[in-house]
Amino acid sequence: TPSTFETIPAWSLLKCFSMRRHASVLLIDDSPGERELFRQALLRTGLDIVLHSQQDSESALHFLRQRVELPALILLDWHLSHQRGDVFLKPMRSEPRFAAIPVVAFTTSDDETDLSAAYANAVNGYVVKPETFEDLVLCVGDICRYWLTRNRTPYWVETTC
């Protein structure tokens, strides 16, 4: 007899394994145009993901601190209005409640110095933004499918001593 997986069409397996809770993504990008392009690309993927966006590190940290349910993934433009992504990452990573949230640098910079600095500051991935909208749709779909369906992170549990 076929296994359960053999009887389910391959395209529907993502839905079976994915998003046990309603997934959300926080996009941190200082360009309104880039945020809108990302939103449009995410819509085109057909994935059921709630998108939150913030324009700078300060507003993103405030957003996270006010949330009960945290985003499952953060996409961070490495160059935010004259500051690098580490301005966000250092305080974010210092708070235990946010430690397990994957952060992917999603940037136009293909510079080796930026790549090294991003990993030195604890990003989980580094993706250079594609040049065409069609490639952006594919890239956004790939990122979300991996980080929201395949990757596993522990949930933060508050304990009292």
Side-chain angles (χ1 to χ4, degrees):
T1 60
S3 71
T4 304
F5 296 120
E6 292 170 343
T7 61
I8 299 173
W11 57 266
S12 67
L13 284 177
L14 277 179
K15 291 184 180 177
C16 294
F17 289 112
S18 67
M19 302 177 211
R20 292 183 183 128
R21 59 189 169 87
H22 197 73
S24 68
V25 170
L26 172 60
L27 173 66
I28 307 168
D29 196 309
D30 59 340
S31 168
E34 293 287 326
R35 291 193 307 266
E36 178 60 20
L37 274 175
F38 186 91
R39 188 185 73 75
Q40 291 293 328
L42 182 59
L43 284 173
R44 286 271 300 272
T45 68
L47 298 171
D48 185 21
I49 297 169
V50 174
L51 177 64
H52 304 282
S53 63
Q54 297 295 322
Q55 66 182 3
D56 57 42
S57 57
E58 185 178 309
S59 63
L61 286 167
H62 180 75
F63 171 82
L64 289 172
R65 289 175 180 138
Q66 300 304 312
R67 301 286 302 178
V68 172
E69 187 174 327
L70 296 172
L73 174 65
I74 297 172
L75 294 171
L76 173 65
D77 184 9
W78 192 247
H79 293 283
L80 295 168
S81 298
H82 311 295
Q83 55 183 228
R84 286 190 337 194
D86 58 344
V87 172
F88 169 76
L89 279 169
K90 286 177 182 175
M92 182 258 185
R93 291 291 190 211
S94 72
E95 296 189 33
R97 183 169 174 240
F98 309 142
I101 302 173
V103 177
V104 174
F106 192 62
T107 182
T108 57
S109 175
D110 199 13
D111 183 72
E112 289 292 322
T113 305
D114 288 336
L115 175 66
S116 296
Y119 275 102
N121 284 283
V123 296
N124 301 95
Y126 191 97
V127 176
V128 177
K129 293 176 182 177
E131 294 183 13
T132 68
F133 183 72
E134 292 76 22
D135 287 342
L136 179 63
V137 172
L138 294 172
C139 184
V140 167
D142 289 346
I143 290 169
C144 290
R145 282 184 192 96
Y146 173 76
W147 289 103
L148 302 176
T149 65
R150 300 279 184 217
N151 185 61
R152 294 291 176 241
T153 56
Y155 291 100
W156 178 77
V157 178
E158 186 173 1
T159 58
T160 55
C161 299

